[in-house]
Amino acid sequence: MDEVEFSLQQSAITDPGRPLTGLPAGVADLAKVVGGVLVHRDWAPHPVRREDADLRFVAAMLDRLGSLDERPSERRLAVTCRDFTVLLVALLRAGGVPARARAGFAGYFAEGFYDDHWVVETWAEGRGWHLVDAQVASGEPGVYGTKDLDPLDVPRDAFLVGGQAWMECRSGVRDPRTVGTSAAGLTGFWEIQGNVVRDLSALNGVEVLPWDAWGLIPVHFDELPQADVALLDAVAPVSAAGGPLRVAQETAGLDPRLPAPPELSRPPA
């Protein structure tokens, strides 16, 4: 099985747990379906239930929603970019379109800064893999401050997957102080390190939460041991290249701290 075939299959996290019928076929229209049931919890125009973003599984989102019918903003799930991404991935896969989640950093929210973000990568015959920002595409143009961005065709230099960000900062092409989470003032290699590992996890079919931390993802801001830096130097090109699947699987086996713990993809009983 290659990465295209693999990306046609629902993961334990994207599995909707029910038939999805009556949905539009196009990526743009499916993104609008997503925007009709989700609202970003940091952009909502009203008080929100921030715990909605902990649902993790698409099936749990759909259980909470009851349907994919559009509803007023205050009745939508209040989530993060990761949830817009995994829901759109689930809808695309349900429609027979290869899609996968990518963890990295977007350079179109804050001037001169690449912010922690998740997007969809989808595949089309004759075009190959390309990036879709599910969050931005779900709303009206400019609602997320990105009027000049085509969210259905995000340039590779506008969104850096975790491994690409690591490689550019390690080589000196990019200042690591310009990559991280701007709202929290968190930057640097320890911040980038997390998305190298999370992106590898997503390539292997485990679309974790943005704050999930395990193994090689630091929970403290300490300087990285040199052995860990060398390991991340080996992982980063696989993330940057998006596989191939066999290599992504083999890379996750290089160190027991790389794969996501099984409980992060085990649906509740």
Side-chain angles (χ1 to χ4, degrees):
M1 181 185 299
D2 66 14
E3 56 273 16
V4 175
E5 294 174 286
F6 187 67
S7 296
L8 277 167
Q9 300 180 358
Q10 299 288 8
S11 69
I13 289 169
T14 65
D15 184 358
R18 70 212 68 198
L20 297 177
T21 59
L23 293 173
V27 178
D29 289 336
L30 286 173
K32 295 304 182 185
V33 171
V34 171
V37 296
L38 304 183
V39 61
H40 197 290
R41 66 184 192 177
D42 294 333
W43 293 76
H46 48 73
V48 298
R49 304 168 304 279
R50 294 185 68 82
E51 63 272 18
D52 286 349
D54 291 319
L55 287 172
R56 188 180 297 276
F57 298 94
V58 167
M61 296 181 199
L62 297 178
D63 286 344
R64 183 76 59 86
L65 289 164
S67 77
L68 286 170
D69 296 333
E70 185 174 0
R71 74 245 2 245
S73 179
E74 61 272 13
R75 291 185 50 227
R76 299 173 189 173
L77 292 181
V79 298
T80 70
C81 54
R82 176 265 183 192
D83 305 297
F84 282 89
T85 293
V86 295
L87 182 54
L88 182 56
V89 166
L91 300 187
L92 287 167
R93 288 173 174 172
V97 178
R100 58 192 185 183
R102 304 303 305 269
F105 303 90
Y108 39 83
F109 293 118
E111 183 70 29
F113 194 86
Y114 277 75
D115 252 309
D116 192 306
H117 195 52
W118 288 63
V119 299
V120 174
E121 190 171 44
T122 185
W123 188 90
E125 191 73 45
R127 183 179 184 185
W129 291 107
H130 59 283
L131 300 176
V132 173
D133 190 313
Q135 176 189 326
V136 176
S138 74
E140 296 302 316
V143 70
Y144 292 105
T146 54
K147 292 181 180 178
D148 297 328
L149 177 79
D150 179 358
L152 302 178
D153 188 15
V154 178
R156 292 286 174 175
D157 59 353
F159 180 86
L160 307 177
V161 295
Q164 187 66 34
W166 177 269
M167 291 169 64
E168 290 189 10
C169 289
R170 284 280 285 154
S171 68
V173 170
R174 196 171 303 281
D175 185 343
R177 294 172 297 181
T178 66
V179 182
T181 305
S182 60
L186 303 175
T187 66
F189 281 107
W190 73 268
E191 175 84 357
I192 302 166
Q193 176 185 4
N195 275 354
V196 176
V197 178
R198 293 186 190 99
D199 190 57
L200 179 66
S201 180
L203 289 175
N204 281 294
V206 183
E207 302 92 351
V208 298
L209 295 177
W211 42 83
D212 280 337
W214 71 90
L216 204 61
I217 298 179
V219 292
H220 300 295
F221 309 158
D222 303 327
E223 184 138 353
L224 298 175
Q226 199 54 45
D228 289 353
V229 172
L231 177 58
L232 287 159
D233 283 342
V235 173
V238 180
S239 164
L245 177 62
R246 176 186 56 80
V247 176
Q249 292 170 333
E250 292 172 352
T251 301
L254 290 176
D255 190 288
R257 297 171 298 165
L258 286 171
E263 59 267 23
L264 297 185
S265 59
R266 186 181 299 131

